[in-house]
Amino acid sequence: MNGHSCRVLLLVLLIPAIGLLFGGSLGKRVVSSCVADLNHNGVAETIRLEGGYGPFGRYLAIIEGGSEIMRFDLSAMKPWKVQTADIDGDGEWELSIGVYTTARTDPEMNKRPFIFRLTDKGLYPVWLGTRLSKPFEDYVFSDLDGDGRDELLAIEYLVDGRKVLNIYGWKGFGFEGLCQSQGFQDIKELKAGYSDGTKPSALVVTDNRRLKRVALCYEQGILTLE
């Protein structure tokens, strides 16, 4: 290969590298997204975490009908996940943003599930709590017991390194623990339930190191894995 060809190859390789440095695909790298009709106008909005680097996004973008209607710079929070939930059963969607940051009463960097409402003036904080009862890896919202309120279901770490599923309910001032599963060697994936009646599920690693997909059922304060 001659010197001219080498220079061309170097230029081609540098272009995607520069894109990643400044947020990926010129700021369109999508870290996490969800869809919901936030303003009840019959048109579902797409909510995306864009840009950033590694596991973290930078911007929260609200897109309706193909046009961006709102954008927030959340880089100081290191956001890594966005989802919607109705935590109090009032029919209004809250935005939950998984962040990696400090809190007012906890100066250590940790994963935290912040809760906001979207208003005409921007994001209104509902709960910027310290953290859950244990260090957690991931979380989803789902109406586990059919009462019209979404519970928070988290993958958490035990002190011995195993993982558990823990359920929390909104109590008006914060989340209260409701139920915890037995410990597993690992929990690989957690999925929320859907409006078609599909139950939330998890992919767990049992003591014999086998993967097992389980459906989650929460009734009368008891969590069962089917």
Side-chain angles (χ1 to χ4, degrees):
M1 183 179 290
N2 58 38
H4 177 71
S5 298
C6 289
R7 286 192 295 272
V8 171
L9 178 60
L10 179 62
L11 179 61
V12 171
L13 291 176
L14 277 177
I15 289 174
I18 292 172
L20 290 174
L21 181 62
F22 289 97
S25 302
L26 299 180
K28 295 300 182 182
R29 185 182 80 122
V30 178
V31 174
S32 177
S33 66
C34 59
V35 177
D37 185 2
L38 297 174
N39 54 13
H40 301 286
N41 66 350
V43 179
E45 288 79 36
T46 299
I47 306 104
R48 302 195 309 204
L49 286 177
E50 299 179 348
Y53 59 91
F56 306 118
R58 178 175 182 179
Y59 298 105
L60 179 70
I62 312 295
I63 300 164
E64 183 180 89
S67 300
E68 184 176 293
I69 58 175
M70 286 187 178
R71 173 172 288 253
F72 307 93
D73 187 344
L74 303 183
S75 55
M77 297 182 183
K78 296 185 182 297
W80 51 273
K81 184 171 189 173
V82 62
Q83 57 191 308
T84 57
D86 184 0
I87 60 174
D88 53 9
D90 65 353
E92 299 293 332
W93 290 111
E94 285 81 34
L95 286 177
S96 178
I97 302 175
V99 299
Y100 183 70
T101 186
T102 61
R104 292 178 182 176
T105 58
D106 183 5
E108 294 186 10
M109 297 289 288
N110 279 298
K111 281 186 171 181
R112 309 177 194 278
F114 283 2
I115 308 293
F116 298 89
R117 285 196 182 94
L118 185 66
T119 71
D120 293 339
K121 297 180 180 179
L123 292 174
Y124 176 80
V126 175
W127 190 72
L128 307 182
T130 55
R131 57 178 120 175
L132 301 178
S133 63
K134 301 177 186 65
F136 73 96
E137 181 175 287
D138 197 8
Y139 72 107
V140 297
F141 282 95
S142 187
D143 184 4
L144 297 172
D145 54 8
D147 65 351
R149 297 178 293 180
D150 288 321
E151 284 76 37
L152 189 160
L153 179 60
I155 302 173
E156 297 183 343
Y157 291 93
L158 295 173
V159 293
D160 62 6
R162 293 182 301 155
K163 295 179 183 178
V164 295
L165 297 168
N166 214 335
I167 299 174
Y168 298 85
W170 179 252
K171 297 303 178 182
F173 54 87
F175 289 98
E176 177 181 275
L178 301 177
C179 190
Q180 178 179 297
S181 75
Q182 71 268 34
F184 296 97
Q185 285 190 344
D186 199 1
I187 302 176
K188 298 288 189 180
E189 185 182 78
L190 186 61
K191 291 185 176 181
Y194 299 95
S195 58
D196 61 1
T198 305
K199 294 181 179 179
S201 63
L203 187 62
V204 303
V205 181
T206 59
D207 291 337
N208 57 10
R209 298 185 179 180
R210 296 184 63 181
L211 286 172
K212 181 181 180 182
R213 170 68 66 179
V214 295
L216 310 179
C217 182
Y218 178 68
E219 293 180 349
Q220 298 181 347
I222 299 174
L223 174 65
T224 56
L225 309 182
E226 302 172 350

